[in-house]
Amino acid sequence: MGVRVPLDLGISSGVIMRKIQQYVKECIQELKKVTWPTWEELKGSTLVVMLFSVIMGCYIAGLDVVFSVIIDKIMGRG
């Protein structure tokens, strides 16, 4: 059985709770300042991200095929 060492950072639990409450309060205040996108803007952005993802996926798949063929030629398998 080990020796127990009390963890005393010199901060009372009341101070910690006040800091947490202040942090949450400030977060809520900042979120009220945010300009949220409209539904149309959100749909448009989502479409752009999905389209970009598909294009990049096709590009990477194409590179994979090209490099596979090159490596097969170098290794004498194709």
Side-chain angles (χ1 to χ4, degrees), residues 15-31:
V15 171
I16 293 173
M17 283 305 297
R18 279 195 302 278
K19 287 186 178 211
I20 291 172
Q21 288 172 342
Q22 182 66 28
Y23 174 76
V24 170
K25 182 180 175 184
E26 289 174 6
C27 285
I28 291 170
Q29 289 172 348
E30 287 300 316
L31 284 172

Side-chain angles (χ1 to χ4, degrees), residues 1-13:
M1 184 159 219
V3 177
R4 288 188 164 193
V5 178
L7 181 61
D8 183 15
L9 301 175
I11 302 173
S12 69
S13 61

Side-chain angles (χ1 to χ4, degrees), residues 7-77:
L7 181 61
D8 183 15
L9 301 175
I11 302 173
S12 69
S13 61
V15 171
I16 293 173
M17 283 305 297
R18 279 195 302 278
K19 287 186 178 211
I20 291 172
Q21 288 172 342
Q22 182 66 28
Y23 174 76
V24 170
K25 182 180 175 184
E26 289 174 6
C27 285
I28 291 170
Q29 289 172 348
E30 287 300 316
L31 284 172
K32 288 179 181 178
K33 297 177 187 177
V34 172
T35 303
W36 298 100
T38 65
W39 181 245
E40 293 303 316
E41 291 171 332
L42 187 62
K43 288 193 297 188
S45 297
T46 302
L47 182 63
V48 168
V49 169
M50 289 171 47
L51 184 62
F52 181 77
S53 297
V54 168
I55 290 170
M56 287 306 296
C58 291
Y59 176 72
I60 292 171
L63 286 176
D64 183 51
V65 169
V66 168
F67 286 128
S68 293
V69 168
I70 292 171
I71 295 298
D72 284 344
K73 296 279 186 196
I74 292 173
M75 301 297 282
R77 293 184 279 187

